[in-house]
Amino acid sequence: MPHSPSNTIGLAPAAFWALLIWSFIGLTPLAKGQVELEGTTWAQRLLRSFSSDWNELSSERESLPGELVGLPEVPTAYQGGSGGMFGMWYVDTENKPLKSLSIRVMWDEAEWIDFVSLVPARSAASQGGEWEYGVPESFEIELLDRNGDAIATIAQEEGANRRLVRRGFPFTYSLDAPVKAHGALVRSRGISRRMVAGETRFYLAWAELFAFAGEYNVAEGATVELVEDRPTYETWYWNDQYLVDSQTPLGLPEIPSKNLRHVGWLSQARHSEDDSIFVTLELPEAKQVNGLRLFPARRPAGEVIPGFALPQRFYMSAIDENGKEVRVLDRTSTDASNPGQNPVTYRFPSVRASKFRLECVKIWKRYPHYPAFIAFSEVQLLEGETCLSKGAKVRTSDGETELASVGNLFWSPRGLTNGAGPSGALVARREWLELLQRRNEVETRMRYLELRMGAMEHRWEAVVLYSVSGFGVIALVFLIVLPIRYRRIQKTMLSDLRHRIANDLHDEVGANLSSIAGTSELLEEMTGDSSPKQRELMADIRRTARKTAQETRRLIGFLERRELEGSVEEHLRQAARTMLKGIDYRFEEGEWEAFESWPQRRKWDLLLFFKEVLHNIVKHSAARSVSIEIKDLGKAGLLLRVVDDGKGISGGRMPRHLKERSKRLRALLSISSRKGGGTEVRLTIPRKKQFLWILK
């Protein structure tokens, strides 16, 4: 059995469809990095397998979080206190755009400066949302002499408002060698701008300037002035002097600890804010003390209340060995301002004593019907910047009662001198700023590595995506080209098959028919004395052979060229003349033009159907006359109608060959016949299928 072309090539389109679907369903998520396995994307897994650079970056990135352990954090919640120094300027026709602004800070005495820090401001309305509010494009810091002239440039910062990590980290600078200076100048360039109510406004803000001589911040309480003749913007939150009040949006100088037990001390509730509460600190021995530092408490749960339960008015007395009290600090005349979550330092003339009593005469009461009480996270007695009270004995007006907080945390008098804030160990301001700078460096490095790794990942994703897309395009091209190629191969194979059949018919059948015709002629000549009946039979054999040979040649021509020579009408009339000899037939006036638009294959099938009808009439009907009609039925299609007056079809069965031919024509075949009353054959071909014939 010969192979059909579809047996060898028919699976190719299906294979390519499967390949294309696999490409887009299976590989596209890979290219986009959407398929995750073991917590990583496919792109990351590819990079780990094939990129040593990626592995080095990834290894370093994974090691950095360990370096953050033990470093302070920048709080996200609003910490209260003052905002710092802020300036806003409108631009009009008389006021040219700002190029730079300079802030001069001068302290009373020249000091040896070895560390400077500039803290970005945070908008009061942002509640932590705008981390570095009003930071300029660039700035520089100079140290000044008594006359305000620059003696050293200690910082030149470019891209200050474009840091990789913009979370309010301070700008810190350690000097290689101390510089004796009387002040500092902060010169800002590239002032921030924004449109407000259709006007361009320039604004500059800094929360705090620290200038350390050892552990002492000499900038606290210094004089602040704007060098340029431009007005600053002052509210309860912004003021020039707030630049040197030691209050920042960074919270308390503490290092988070998981081993914390006491979070400070909280007094018992009082009915009135005028109720007095005292705290006594007793040192192991008498020491010189010249300062008091109070650290605000913070509730371990719930919202952050800046300056939670700090006393509004108080005084402190030193108690000598004989029990005599000497008032060394008096803050009873006016209510203290709320420092937010910032420690507050009070200085007084140095006094030598071992016992100090803090008497709070106006305590904290948030609402009229709210209970009154006070709370501290730590109370420190200072000599300069040295804390003398760590571990000191504490007595309070409430005794030594401990109050449970949350979890394993407690409010206790011991919490006032344990060296810890509400979240961890307290450290000196300078050390705290240096640790924040170290955290900034680590987080910046982490962010830099993440950006590099992300760029590499996106690059690989793009390569894979483009590769998959290119593969998909190639697959689509093959899906378009291959079926065409497949059809061409099929057509070639079918054409070869037709040629073989045509050649076989020509060589074998044609030769045999010609031999039969020639033999019949020779036999007719040899039997010259044969009867008329014999001669008629011999002539009939010769005519049939030649007629069959002629039809065979026509069939061969159709197989080779796949087209009929001449019109459909000519072929139908020729078939009727040849096959209906001795029978009276007529063609009704028809609409033959409709057939000419048919494909050749269709015309051939119609011709064979017509011949099969005529063959049945000649062979079985004994008809004397035949009527043939071609009619255009419009949208209903085309009609071929053949009627004879023969004896009809016995049993009313439809001839098998006619039924098969009508199926090939996709036509509706109906045959009506009655015994002795002739037969009518109607073939209706719908027009709506014609476009399918053309495609076929």
Side-chain angles (χ1 to χ4, degrees), residues 393-408:
K393 185 178 179 179
V394 180
R395 289 192 308 109
T396 72
S397 54
D398 294 341
E400 297 183 1
T401 304
E402 288 189 350
L403 298 177
S405 182
V406 296
N408 295 323

Side-chain angles (χ1 to χ4, degrees), residues 363-421:
I363 59 179
W364 189 76
K365 187 179 179 70
R366 192 174 189 185
Y367 304 111
H369 299 290
Y370 202 76
F373 48 85
I374 63 171
F376 304 102
S377 64
E378 185 83 359
V379 176
Q380 293 182 350
L381 297 175
L382 305 174
E383 182 184 16
E385 286 297 316
T386 303
C387 175
L388 305 175
S389 57
K390 186 175 182 180
K393 185 178 179 179
V394 180
R395 289 192 308 109
T396 72
S397 54
D398 294 341
E400 297 183 1
T401 304
E402 288 189 350
L403 298 177
S405 182
V406 296
N408 295 323
L409 301 178
F410 294 89
W411 299 99
S412 169
R414 286 180 291 176
L416 293 178
T417 57
N418 64 349

Side-chain angles (χ1 to χ4, degrees), residues 599 686-696:
R687 286 183 179 276
K688 63 182 179 180
K689 297 292 184 179
Q690 187 167 337
F691 73 96
L692 291 176
W693 305 340
I694 296 173
L695 291 178
K696 296 293 181 181

Side-chain angles (χ1 to χ4, degrees), residues 104 106-107 110 143-151 181-183 225:
R104 183 186 295 120
M106 302 294 291
W107 41 86
L143 293 179
L144 309 177
D145 61 13
R146 180 180 295 274
N147 298 321
D149 297 326
I151 56 177
H182 214 288
E225 63 176 338

Side-chain angles (χ1 to χ4, degrees), residues 264-543:
W265 175 72
L266 176 67
S267 73
Q268 295 181 2
R270 304 294 198 273
H271 292 291
S272 172
E273 64 182 9
D274 296 323
D275 290 344
S276 180
I277 299 176
F278 73 84
V279 175
T280 300
L281 278 68
E282 186 173 349
L283 304 177
E285 59 183 1
K287 293 185 178 181
Q288 291 294 132
V289 178
N290 65 357
L292 171 69
R293 183 167 290 157
L294 303 178
F295 290 82
R298 182 171 64 240
R299 297 191 304 169
E303 66 172 320
V304 174
I305 301 177
F308 173 67
L310 283 176
Q312 298 182 64
R313 299 187 184 189
F314 61 90
Y315 66 87
M316 191 175 75
S317 301
I319 305 174
D320 62 17
E321 297 177 353
N322 300 321
K324 182 180 178 180
E325 294 189 17
V326 178
R327 186 175 295 191
V328 295
L329 177 66
D330 192 332
R331 303 288 297 184
T332 60
S333 59
T334 58
D335 291 350
S337 60
N338 189 333
Q341 292 306 105
N342 289 279
V344 186
T345 303
Y346 300 95
R347 298 291 177 179
F348 50 84
S350 180
V351 59
R352 185 176 182 83
S354 61
K355 186 183 294 185
F356 293 84
R357 179 187 179 94
L358 178 65
E359 189 79 28
C360 303
V361 297
K362 185 176 181 180
I363 59 179
W364 189 76
K365 187 179 179 70
R366 192 174 189 185
Y367 304 111
H369 299 290
Y370 202 76
F373 48 85
I374 63 171
F376 304 102
S377 64
E378 185 83 359
V379 176
Q380 293 182 350
L381 297 175
L382 305 174
E383 182 184 16
E385 286 297 316
T386 303
C387 175
L388 305 175
S389 57
K390 186 175 182 180
K393 185 178 179 179
V394 180
R395 289 192 308 109
T396 72
S397 54
D398 294 341
E400 297 183 1
T401 304
E402 288 189 350
L403 298 177
S405 182
V406 296
N408 295 323
L409 301 178
F410 294 89
W411 299 99
S412 169
R414 286 180 291 176
L416 293 178
T417 57
N418 64 349
S423 300
L426 293 170
V427 296
R429 263 279 173 77
R430 174 170 175 168
E431 180 184 357
W432 174 64
L433 291 169
E434 290 173 339
L435 292 175
L436 282 174
Q437 175 62 18
R438 176 56 187 158
R439 185 180 192 93
N440 182 33
E441 292 171 356
V442 175
E443 289 193 11
T444 299
R445 181 62 181 173
M446 290 172 60
R447 180 59 179 158
Y448 169 75
L449 294 175
E450 289 169 358
L451 291 174
R452 281 199 61 187
M453 293 168 67
M456 292 179 68
E457 185 176 348
H458 291 323
R459 208 160 43 238
W460 277 62
E461 287 176 359
V463 169
V464 176
L465 179 60
Y466 292 148
S467 300
V468 171
S469 301
F471 183 80
V473 170
I474 293 173
L476 283 174
V477 170
F478 272 98
L479 286 172
I480 295 172
V481 172
L482 193 62
I484 297 174
R485 176 67 175 167
Y486 167 70
R487 285 184 174 274
R488 287 180 178 176
I489 293 174
Q490 272 194 326
K491 289 173 67 176
T492 301
M493 295 178 70
L494 290 174
S495 178
D496 292 342
L497 181 60
R498 291 192 197 97
H499 283 299
R500 288 199 302 271
I501 294 173
N503 291 335
D504 292 344
L505 287 174
H506 181 273
D507 295 341
E508 296 294 333
V509 179
N512 292 339
L513 290 173
S514 298
S515 179
I516 292 172
T519 303
S520 63
E521 289 180 359
L522 182 59
L523 183 60
E524 185 178 3
E525 292 176 358
M526 293 175 62
T527 56
D529 56 350
S530 59
S531 65
K533 183 64 174 177
Q534 290 177 331
R535 287 195 296 272
E536 182 181 353
L537 290 174
M538 296 298 293
D540 188 52
I541 291 172
R542 185 175 66 254
R543 286 194 301 272

Side-chain angles (χ1 to χ4, degrees), residues 22 40 91 95 178 248 267 421 509 614 642 658:
W22 176 81
T40 60
V91 175
N95 203 350
T248 75
S267 73
V509 179
L614 298 186
V642 181
L658 291 182

Side-chain angles (χ1 to χ4, degrees), residues 109-169:
E109 300 292 336
E111 300 286 351
W112 290 96
I113 306 301
D114 58 2
F115 183 83
V116 176
S117 181
L118 191 59
V119 182
R122 186 179 300 183
S123 171
S126 67
Q127 297 292 306
E130 191 165 353
W131 294 90
E132 299 183 359
Y133 182 70
V135 173
E137 172 70 23
S138 63
F139 65 87
E140 61 184 36
I141 301 176
E142 297 175 343
L143 293 179
L144 309 177
D145 61 13
R146 180 180 295 274
N147 298 321
D149 297 326
I151 56 177
T153 300
I154 63 172
Q156 289 182 324
E157 198 76 42
E158 297 294 333
N161 59 358
R162 299 194 310 273
R163 294 192 289 181
L164 287 180
V165 179
R166 300 188 70 239
R167 293 184 46 237
F169 284 105

